[in-house]
Amino acid sequence: MSQKPQNQTGTSRRDFLKAASLTGAVFALGLPKSEILASPILNLSSQPGLVLPETAELTPYILIEKSGRITIMNPRPEIGQGTYQSVPALIAEELEVSLDKVVIRQTGGETKFGGMWSQAVGGSGSIRGGYTQMRKVGASAREMLIKAASDQWNVPVEECYAENATVVHKPTGKKLTYGQLAEPAAKLPVPKEPKLKDPKQFTMLGKSMPRPDVPLKVSGQATFGIDAKVPGMVYASIERCPVLGSKLVSFDASQALKVKGVQKAVKIERVVGKNHYEGVAVIASNYWAALQGRKALKVKWDHQGHDTFNSADFEKSLRDLAKSDGVVGHNAGDFDKAFADSPNQLEAFYETPIVTHSTMEPMNALAHYQPGVDSPGNKVELWVSSQGGDLVKDEVAKALKVPADNVAVHILFNGGGFGRRLTQDFATEAAMLSKTIGKPVKVIWTREDDTLLGPFRPMTFSAMRGALSADGKAVAFQHKVISPSIDATMNEKYDKTKPDGTMLEGTGEQKYEIPNLNTRYVNADIHIPLTYWRSVTSSTVAFAHECFIDELAHKAGKDPLAFRLAMLAKDTDAKRVLTKLKEVSGWNKSLPAGKGRGIAQWEFFAGLAAQVVEVSKNTTGGVTIDKVYCVIDLGTVVNPDTVKAQVEGAIAMAITAATKDGITFENGQAKQANFDANRMLRINEMPQVEVHILAEGGPTIKGVGEPGLPPLAPALANAVFAATGKRIRRLPFDLEKLA
Amino acid sequence: MASVKLTINNQAHTLDVDPEMPLLWAIRDVVGLTGTKFGCGIAQCGACTVHLDGNPTRSCSIPVSAVVGQKITTIEGISKNADHPVQKAWVEHQVPQCGYCQSGQIMSAVALLKQTPKPTDADIDTAMQGNICRCGTYNRIRQAIHTASAEMGSSPKMPKSNPKIGKR
Ligand code: FES
Ligand code: FES
């Protein structure tokens, strides 16, 4: 970071608030709580069709007040990945306003901002999907403002330009501010194909800019979902059976109701994909009382036979299933023949665990169901940390059977997402609970709820087969994934006879020039809910795929990186990334005894990155991770410092998944309930990270949030092999002591 | 219920709560200061860290009855304008990602620097190990602590790391 941080949120946001509280439209992330949460006008916010007095809406994303204040609507929730800066910056750059002069507000699923995930964050897609679209929004508004000025001055448009929220008439130096121009500009047609700026002219995009949410997050002022409050709200904690799939037989709340502050205990349903779970919600005047009341509940569950489910048996069933053929995903050449013909065959089996998202902010939602929700003005209103305003709106509308337009959603800062907050079970549950009890209610999950109840990242097992040619190149490669399916737990209509693209993610997309390639998927039934986890299936299958490439290199007697580059003759991004990584990691420099380095790359829907991990043997019979080098290929970068942060974070998350506990089931329930048993990487375990960004501009835009994750586990396992000669084929493994 | 007298950020509060209520929920739900976060409830993550007479303490695991008479400081109380050297260093290094753990991280760091004005990396490991950051901001936390230490004392400034952007 080279810039002085700007006080984006200080004056402008407070001023906005003052003005807004007069006009009756308030809502921005991170407003000082005293002002926002106690505000009686809060319930008017984001009402469909609400127009701010003296405000011109140039596009739904840009509001300009006569005073000159500019509000940018950000459709992409902030989950730590920097979209509170990067997405508004796309608009502001073209609009010719500095981001520290604008107010940023989060959209809440309103139809005018689009549906179908256009207000959601997932798949590393915010910049990939919005780069041109959001710039066009800003450019259209800029052209409208310039046109309005030229009309007013009666001069040609070409003689005018915009800078710093004003339009200037070049020959005379006359100026009009955006505030002065907003009203006439808003009456002009929105240009369909506005002229975008030449990237050479960018003042924000491509530069490491300070993020406007940072000052709020160092002062305790940022408002997360868990911090939201409305007048008259009550708290709830919900007892659900940790043996997933159990049915509620009965409950006795007599003791719970004796706890001071406890008001009620009611049955409530949680919907996750195709799974419906029952629970008992304890309602109280404060959260602590709700927790105490919950402890005092007596609940009878019928486990429906699920209490015998355990990881050891399930894993054995996956190993048995590995013998079946499965469904073909990708196929090139004739794997069977090439494999059979080769004298140099290799087979290996890899295993990965179920893991949790464990966002630091546990799941929670505040919901207010207003009776007569079908009458005008009445609605269901939610304040949530969620990865998608449109997702919350649709899911709640479906669950409560109300028109989607009657669902008002306030997306607050997310205390982590990682894919967990793409599933809206916590929001629909709170909305249904509010309807049941007739009050605004905030449901907060405990850490134990968050860990035990899923949805989880599925485990994947991989059966690998490969063969080498006489000159030591891979001629045949097969990756068979054996696992339960995310789609199958979400979708009733899942078709087992079709290849499952999500579970085979990336396996057919690597650029290695292997003439005979075959990928297969064998589905395993599971009753526990599964979902996307940062980098989805790439987070597990890349481990098998890239470790097996290493095994082939070893069998061929080749350097692992040279082996890979030899299979990358054509000019591809993968080749450029590996070539760059070779240089920056000092791959050819020898390491002292007791140290080793490993390499891996991974290309998938979200993007492309490669890593070198350096480890040294430690005194406990394990290894220490010393350093990780990462090259990430973006094509176009918006905020390099954010990219660096995302890669650092992805690496930390990948190390946890590869070397910590993961989730195992016994007697039908997860054995790990909190951070004591489901451990997370801590500061003393974090290696040095060096990030290199490849961004040469042009039309290619690749994702940022996820690609830093998949290469870590295989690069680490390959480094362990280099340092110790031990092959890691099962995750998690213990860094302290290698088995 | 009983009435409990607490001093939070130099302000006296009389709360009508169960004396067994953990300080965390009293601070968040009753006093209404929400900068202090709930992460685990069992003293494992540090998101709820506050100072009791200057010592970093997990507020989720101590009942209000046990803190009567002590000086309680929350993230809202460490500076008037978010300008404590630790907060400034956090902004300079752009430490937070989601930000949820950061109140606790900052409270631990402020306490560390009070005790050990020039911490080594090993000191930082020891003092900050109780604070989980699921977003993985650890390297920036370390750099920011060194920067704040330099700002508060006279030790040389840590070089800031910059991502390297290269042509491919
Ligand atoms: S919430 Fe107190 S340590 Fe985690
Ligand atoms: S910044 Fe997200 S948990 Fe630390």
Side-chain angles (χ1 to χ4, degrees):
Chain A
M1 291 303 310
S2 50
Q3 293 81 13
K4 265 260 156 274
Q6 297 154 15
N7 183 13
Q8 198 277 338
T9 46
T11 40
S12 55
R13 182 152 300 118
R14 253 190 295 277
D15 290 351
F16 165 72
L17 187 75
K18 260 187 242 144
S21 60
L22 298 174
T23 61
V26 174
F27 211 74
L29 287 161
L31 291 171
K33 274 170 277 297
S34 50
E35 295 176 75
I36 185 171
L37 295 173
S39 166
I41 52 168
L42 187 62
N43 290 346
L44 294 174
S45 62
S46 63
Q47 191 150 318
L50 182 82
V51 182
L52 310 187
E54 301 199 85
T55 299
E57 184 178 288
L58 266 71
T59 91
Y61 298 92
I62 302 170
L63 301 152
I64 302 182
E65 290 161 71
K66 265 194 178 154
S67 68
R69 189 168 15 244
I70 299 168
T71 301
I72 290 181
M73 301 302 296
N74 176 27
R76 306 289 186 172
E78 172 65 55
I79 60 174
Q81 85 290 40
T83 45
Y84 191 64
Q85 186 272 335
S86 58
V87 173
L90 297 172
I91 296 176
E93 177 72 63
E94 294 286 348
L95 186 61
E96 297 293 0
V97 297
S98 157
L99 206 53
D100 60 348
K101 301 264 162 52
V102 308
V103 176
I104 302 165
R105 290 171 69 191
Q106 204 69 43
T107 70
E110 298 87 347
T111 316
K112 60 184 172 183
F113 299 109
M116 301 293 289
W117 289 56
S118 54
Q119 295 175 66
V121 286
S124 306
S126 298
I127 299 298
R128 284 196 295 144
Y131 187 75
T132 305
Q133 182 206 355
M134 290 295 123
R135 282 177 60 204
K136 278 186 178 168
V137 164
S140 298
R142 182 193 68 224
E143 289 190 357
M144 290 155 79
L145 289 157
I146 291 177
K147 175 83 170 64
S150 80
D151 287 352
Q152 201 149 322
W153 291 323
N154 207 6
V155 299
V157 167
E158 295 72 36
E159 291 181 2
C160 307
Y161 66 95
E163 77 178 6
N164 210 0
T166 46
V167 178
V168 184
H169 181 229
K170 212 170 176 182
T172 61
K174 273 189 294 200
K175 283 183 186 176
L176 284 168
T177 65
Y178 283 3
Q180 292 167 314
L181 292 167
E183 216 182 302
K187 296 194 182 108
L188 297 170
V190 181
K192 285 244 156 48
E193 288 302 328
K195 198 167 171 315
L196 296 177
K197 280 171 80 170
D198 179 341
K200 286 192 201 80
Q201 246 76 93
F202 285 163
T203 56
M204 279 176 266
L205 304 187
K207 300 184 170 56
S208 286
M209 301 296 284
R211 290 168 33 222
D213 47 326
V214 165
L216 301 168
K217 290 175 176 175
V218 303
S219 59
Q221 292 291 307
T223 307
F224 295 86
I226 201 169
D227 304 325
K229 271 182 206 155
V230 291
M233 82 176 203
V234 291
Y235 293 82
S237 181
I238 303 178
E239 176 72 10
R240 312 171 187 85
C241 191
V243 177
L244 290 156
S246 300
K247 279 222 161 349
L248 178 67
V249 178
S250 64
F251 70 93
D252 169 4
S254 52
Q255 292 305 311
L257 292 168
K258 287 186 187 148
V259 174
K260 261 267 174 26
V262 171
Q263 300 172 355
K264 237 185 211 167
V266 297
K267 186 174 153 178
I268 194 72
E269 191 179 52
R270 168 183 175 225
V271 183
V272 192
K274 67 179 188 189
N275 296 298
H276 292 242
Y277 302 106
E278 291 167 327
V280 181
V282 176
I283 317 296
S285 56
N286 67 76
Y287 185 57
W288 173 246
L291 283 176
Q292 297 310 102
R294 179 178 164 189
K295 272 191 206 142
L297 281 177
K298 291 196 192 73
V299 187
K300 269 208 196 99
W301 302 104
D302 174 352
H303 297 314
Q304 309 265 309
H306 292 307
D307 52 345
T308 58
F309 179 75
N310 69 77
S311 290
D313 289 346
F314 187 70
E315 288 174 7
K316 188 179 169 300
S317 77
L318 292 185
R319 288 181 207 114
D320 290 343
L321 274 173
K323 293 175 194 116
S324 48
D325 287 341
V327 187
V328 174
H330 299 260
N331 196 51
D334 186 344
F335 171 82
D336 287 338
K337 183 170 185 317
F339 185 76
D341 288 353
S342 170
N344 254 336
Q345 299 173 346
L346 196 63
E347 295 189 42
F349 197 78
Y350 290 85
E351 306 183 347
T352 67
I354 291 176
V355 297
T356 54
H357 301 79
S358 297
T359 59
M360 281 307 289
E361 180 190 10
M363 296 305 110
N364 67 82
L366 166 57
H368 187 192
Y369 179 94
Q370 298 169 8
V373 78
D374 285 329
S375 1
N378 288 351
K379 58 189 177 294
V380 193
E381 196 164 9
L382 290 107
W383 293 261
V384 278
S385 297
S386 166
Q387 286 181 243
D390 47 351
L391 308 182
V392 176
K393 184 171 149 146
D394 291 350
E395 291 293 313
V396 169
K398 208 166 77 189
L400 294 180
K401 300 187 178 65
V402 299
D405 281 346
N406 294 13
V407 182
V409 183
H410 309 283
I411 298 293
L412 301 170
F413 284 126
N414 283 225
F418 315 128
R420 174 60 184 90
R421 287 187 159 97
L422 287 168
T423 301
Q424 309 304 329
D425 53 335
F426 52 88
T428 53
E429 181 186 60
M432 290 189 283
L433 189 55
S434 175
K435 182 179 178 181
T436 306
I437 65 170
K439 283 181 189 171
V441 61
K442 172 146 65 170
V443 182
I444 304 175
W445 295 36
T446 62
R447 175 58 59 193
E448 288 79 6
D449 297 336
D450 196 272
T451 310
L452 293 168
L453 301 173
F456 304 92
R457 179 194 79 175
M459 71 225 300
T460 64
F461 283 14
S462 293
M464 311 298 298
R465 292 199 293 167
L468 298 165
S469 62
D471 63 346
K473 278 190 183 163
V475 286
F477 192 97
Q478 185 180 58
H479 191 159
K480 186 195 283 179
V481 177
I482 309 103
S483 75
S485 156
I486 294 171
D487 294 351
T489 76
M490 290 194 180
N491 181 1
E492 292 280 6
K493 296 194 191 99
Y494 182 76
D495 184 351
K496 275 189 175 196
T497 64
K498 299 227 170 79
D500 188 320
T502 305
M503 299 318 297
L504 283 169
E505 183 188 301
T507 54
E509 289 171 51
Q510 307 314 306
K511 292 297 180 296
Y512 301 129
E513 291 143 15
I514 301 173
N516 303 288
L517 177 78
N518 182 260
T519 72
R520 290 171 176 270
Y521 176 62
V522 184
N523 177 256
D525 276 329
I526 203 165
H527 68 286
I528 64 167
L530 305 171
T531 193
Y532 311 116
W533 186 92
R534 195 173 189 176
S535 81
V536 198
T537 313
S538 290
S539 73
T540 57
V541 292
F543 166 65
H545 208 94
E546 279 289 286
C547 283
F548 193 63
I549 291 280
D550 238 60
E551 295 208 45
L552 287 169
H554 184 69
K555 192 173 173 72
K558 300 234 166 104
D559 169 80
L561 177 51
F563 181 73
R564 285 173 170 84
L565 286 171
M567 295 189 292
L568 293 165
K570 287 189 206 121
D571 189 17
T572 56
D573 290 346
K575 181 180 186 173
R576 287 193 289 265
V577 164
L578 283 178
T579 306
K580 178 81 181 174
L581 184 59
K582 181 180 177 180
E583 167 208 325
V584 300
S585 69
W587 180 264
N588 286 339
K589 281 191 219 121
S590 62
L591 288 172
K595 287 186 185 286
R597 58 163 78 90
I599 192 164
Q601 61 85 42
W602 194 251
E603 191 160 6
F604 65 121
F605 74 90
L608 165 65
Q611 288 166 6
V612 165
V613 174
E614 289 181 0
V615 301
S616 42
K617 286 204 233 181
N618 64 22
T619 49
T620 56
V623 298
T624 302
I625 307 174
D626 299 321
K627 182 154 185 179
V628 181
Y629 297 88
C630 181
V631 176
I632 181 165
D633 184 44
L634 297 180
T636 290
V637 61
V638 171
N639 188 334
D641 188 57
T642 296
V643 174
K644 180 174 178 267
Q646 283 301 293
V647 172
E648 291 163 354
I651 285 169
M653 201 157 180
I655 296 173
T656 296
T659 68
K660 296 296 180 183
D661 303 286
I663 294 293
T664 47
F665 282 82
E666 221 174 74
N667 301 326
Q669 73 178 68
K671 267 166 71 184
Q672 300 78 10
N674 205 322
F675 292 136
D676 51 347
N678 185 30
R679 288 168 300 173
M680 303 288 138
L681 192 79
R682 291 177 185 267
I683 192 168
N684 55 310
E685 302 167 309
M686 181 77 194
Q688 280 183 50
V689 175
E690 190 176 309
V691 181
H692 297 264
I693 300 165
L694 291 186
E696 59 187 5
T700 322
I701 304 173
K702 293 183 187 176
V704 169
E706 294 167 293
L709 204 141
L712 189 281
L716 171 60
N718 293 338
V720 169
F721 178 74
T724 69
K726 280 190 183 140
R727 277 285 173 206
I728 306 290
R729 296 198 186 90
R730 179 177 162 89
L731 300 181
F733 72 100
D734 190 356
L735 280 171
E736 292 290 309
K737 189 148 190 63
L738 300 174
Chain B
M1 298 278 161
S3 105
V4 180
K5 284 192 169 54
L6 299 182
T7 309
I8 303 175
N9 303 333
N10 292 322
Q11 260 201 298
H13 295 268
T14 305
L15 312 181
D16 183 27
V17 296
D18 180 345
E20 286 308 303
M21 180 187 277
L23 177 59
L24 169 66
W25 299 113
I27 291 172
R28 287 183 53 84
D29 293 353
V30 186
V31 179
L33 293 171
T34 53
T36 306
K37 300 301 189 211
F38 165 59
C40 69
I42 59 163
Q44 282 287 320
C45 76
C48 64
T49 306
V50 300
H51 294 174
L52 292 184
D53 290 336
N55 299 313
T57 307
R58 312 299 179 218
S59 65
C60 68
S61 299
I62 188 162
V64 282
S65 57
V67 300
V68 173
Q70 299 190 55
K71 212 175 138 225
I72 302 160
T73 312
T74 69
I75 183 74
E76 291 90 348
I78 57 163
S79 66
K80 278 233 159 55
N81 305 304
D83 54 0
H84 187 286
V86 169
Q87 289 171 306
K88 290 202 306 207
W90 245 245
V91 173
E92 182 179 336
H93 290 275
Q94 296 279 293
V95 173
Q97 287 185 31
C98 84
Y100 193 79
C101 73
Q102 298 296 343
S103 297
Q105 304 280 3
I106 289 170
M107 296 310 282
S108 292
V110 168
L112 162 67
L113 289 171
K114 211 176 259 171
Q115 287 229 314
T116 313
K118 286 178 195 167
T120 61
D121 280 343
D123 293 333
I124 293 174
D125 280 348
T126 308
M128 303 300 294
Q129 234 179 84
N131 290 81
I132 295 174
C133 175
R134 186 63 169 145
C135 296
T137 63
Y138 297 126
N139 290 346
R140 289 168 189 245
I141 287 173
R142 187 184 301 283
Q143 290 165 357
I145 290 174
H146 285 304
T147 297
S149 162
E151 177 78 20
M152 293 162 85
S154 55
S155 58
K157 250 193 156 183
M158 281 280 290
K160 277 181 287 171
S161 73
N162 256 321
K164 295 162 182 70
I165 306 176
K167 294 268 179 259
R168 46 191 188 180

